Amino acid sequence: MINSSLPFVTILTPVYNGEKYLAECIESVLAQTFQNWEYLIVNNCSTDRSLTIAEHYARKDPRIRVLTNTNFVGVIENHNIAFSLIPPQSKYCKVVEADDRIAAECLEKMIALAEAHPAIAMVGSYQQSGETVRWKGLPVDTQVISGREVCRSSLLDNLDVSGDPTSLLYRSDLIRKNQPFFPHSLPHADTSSFYKYLQSHNFGFVHEILSTERVHDQQVSATMNRVGAGNAATLEIFLTYGPIYLSEVEFAGGKRHLLQEYYRWLGGSVLKMRDKEFWKYHTSRLRDLGYPLQWRKVIKATMDEILDEIQNPFLAFRKLFMVMRLRYQNRYGGRS
C-alpha cells in the first residue's frame, strides 16, 4: 500500500537467465529501510528458473510484480521496456540489476539527498565491485554539483562518477519525459544517458557504498572488455557530447588526444596478437563514428610501442609472457 506521506519509488530489475543471483538481488530490495515502493521484475524470456524465482517472491509480497516480454529483446531494450512501465505516482526510480544487490539504507539515503535538493535529476553513490570501490572522484564534501560541471570534468579530466544503473537513483519524471530513456542500444547507453540528461539538471552524490556489483564472466561488460569496447565508447561519448559541454578549442584538443591514445592502444594490441573479432569490432566502430581505421597509424603506433619496449626489455618480456599465458589459457582452458 502506498504511503502518501513518503515519496513513492519504482524499483526495476530487468532479467534474463539470472537465476544464480536473482534471489539475493530481490532479498536486498526487501531489506530496504525505506519501504514505500513497488518492484517490477521484467523477465526477458528467460530459459532458466528466473521466472519461477521472481513469481515466488511476488506471491509473498504484493508490491512485487513480474512481467514477461512476449519476445526476447536486447539488454538495453529490456531496460527501456522496464522504464516505460513507471507509473504516474512514482517520484523516483531505482534499477537493481539481477546480479547485483543494494545496501539496506540505499533508498533511504539517496532519496533523502534528492528530496533536499529538487534540482537533482540523478543521485550517484560508491559501488563495491570485487575488491574495488567504483565511482570515486568527487570531493567528499561535494554532495550536489551542476550537471554541466560534472560532465565537463568527466570529459576533460576523466572524472569517473557516471555510475551504472544499480549505483544510481533517477527522478521518475525525467524518465517519463524521455522515452526511450536509454538513447541507443549499445552497452554504454546508461553512460550516454548521464551526459544527455544532465545538461540542465544537477547531480547528487552520496559518499557511501550503497550497492555491490557482481563480477563474473557472463556480464555484458565482461564480454565487451574482451574486445576493448570501452575505448570506442569513450570516443563516441566525447564526439557526441563534447560539443555540448566544451568550447571549440577544448573539444578539438580533446578529440585529437583521444584519437592519438586510441591508435597507441591499437598499436599495443597488435603486439598482443588480438584476434579477428577484435579488429572487426574496432574497424566497424570507428567507421560508424566517422573516423575509419587507418592502418598506417596503427603500424606507426606499433613501432612506437616496440621502440618503447626495446628501451625496457624487462617490461617487454613481462608483457610477452602475459600474452602467451593468456593465449594458452584461452586455448586450453588454463589446464596444466
Side-chain angles (χ1 to χ4, degrees):
M1 184 175 295
I2 298 175
N3 184 339
S4 59
S5 66
L6 296 172
F8 186 59
V9 183
T10 298
I11 305 171
L12 303 173
T13 292
V15 58
Y16 171 70
N17 286 358
E19 67 169 326
K20 188 172 182 180
Y21 307 116
L22 182 58
E24 186 177 352
C25 167
I26 297 172
E27 291 284 354
S28 77
V29 172
L30 294 172
Q32 291 302 295
T33 55
F34 184 97
Q35 286 282 305
N36 197 38
W37 46 258
E38 65 172 354
Y39 188 12
L40 307 181
I41 301 173
V42 183
N43 171 43
N44 191 17
C45 302
S46 296
T47 57
D48 64 0
R49 295 182 59 255
S50 295
L51 179 59
T52 301
I53 293 168
E55 289 179 336
H56 166 74
Y57 281 97
R59 286 192 295 270
K60 294 171 62 177
D61 193 320
R63 295 173 298 176
I64 301 175
R65 288 193 292 138
V66 182
L67 303 96
T68 297
N69 295 333
T70 304
N71 301 302
F72 175 79
V73 297
V75 173
I76 299 302
E77 185 176 352
N78 197 35
H79 280 69
N80 279 330
I81 289 171
F83 286 131
S84 73
L85 300 172
I86 295 175
Q89 68 269 29
S90 174
K91 188 170 185 179
Y92 299 104
C93 171
K94 184 76 194 77
V95 177
V96 187
E97 302 290 9
D99 46 4
D100 295 342
R101 62 184 184 274
I102 53 177
E105 295 182 337
C106 179
L107 289 179
E108 179 183 348
K109 292 190 172 183
M110 293 183 123
I111 290 168
L113 182 60
E115 286 287 280
H117 302 276
I120 289 176
M122 302 178 193
V123 179
S125 62
Y126 300 143
Q127 181 181 55
Q128 191 73 45
S129 178
E131 300 298 318
T132 303
V133 176
R134 304 183 72 189
W135 318 122
K136 290 185 173 182
L138 285 174
V140 294
D141 59 347
T142 299
Q143 289 187 303
V144 183
I145 184 172
S146 78
R148 295 197 68 86
E149 184 179 348
V150 74
C151 288
R152 274 183 55 81
S153 295
S154 298
L155 292 169
L156 287 175
D157 305 319
N158 296 317
L159 176 66
D160 191 13
V161 296
S162 59
D164 63 15
T166 300
S167 72
L168 294 171
L169 177 80
Y170 304 98
R171 285 196 183 269
S172 294
D173 59 357
L174 179 72
I175 296 172
R176 284 190 293 263
K177 291 175 183 176
N178 296 280
Q179 291 290 330
F181 184 63
F182 284 169
H184 53 73
S185 60
L186 294 168
H188 62 280
D190 57 329
T191 306
S192 295
S193 68
F194 181 85
Y195 291 93
K196 180 176 180 179
Y197 301 122
L198 285 181
Q199 297 177 47
S200 55
H201 299 280
N202 287 346
F203 179 62
F205 199 89
V206 179
H207 293 269
E208 295 185 44
I209 299 173
L210 296 181
S211 65
T212 300
E213 177 189 40
R214 181 82 62 173
V215 180
H216 57 88
D217 290 341
Q218 283 70 51
Q219 286 176 298
V220 172
S221 57
T223 302
M224 292 295 97
N225 286 340
R226 284 193 284 272
V227 293
N231 293 279
T234 298
L235 180 59
E236 178 178 23
I237 287 170
F238 189 89
L239 293 175
T240 303
Y241 298 103
I244 295 172
Y245 292 104
L246 307 178
S247 69
E248 289 185 10
V249 172
E250 290 170 332
F251 177 69
K255 180 176 70 172
R256 182 169 58 252
H257 174 74
L258 272 181
L259 286 170
Q260 288 172 347
E261 289 296 308
Y262 200 131
Y263 274 99
R264 187 61 185 260
W265 174 72
L266 289 176
S269 298
V270 171
L271 300 181
K272 293 177 182 177
M273 297 177 281
R274 297 282 194 168
D275 58 19
K276 290 182 179 179
E277 179 187 6
F278 174 90
W279 292 106
K280 181 179 179 181
Y281 178 84
H282 288 280
T283 299
S284 173
R285 292 292 287 122
L286 284 169
R287 182 179 62 245
D288 292 344
L289 293 173
Y291 294 86
L293 182 66
Q294 298 182 42
W295 282 105
R296 63 177 180 81
K297 290 186 177 181
V298 175
I299 294 170
K300 181 182 182 303
T302 304
M303 297 304 297
D304 289 341
E305 284 285 305
I306 292 172
L307 289 173
D308 281 353
E309 294 187 0
I310 287 174
Q311 296 173 13
N312 191 339
F314 175 77
L315 180 61
F317 177 80
R318 184 179 178 185
K319 287 182 178 180
L320 178 62
F321 175 77
M322 292 176 66
V323 169
M324 297 307 295
R325 184 176 65 177
L326 180 61
R327 288 173 65 84
Y328 180 88
Q329 290 174 341
N330 289 340
R331 183 171 182 179
Y332 299 108
R335 295 189 299 272
S336 58

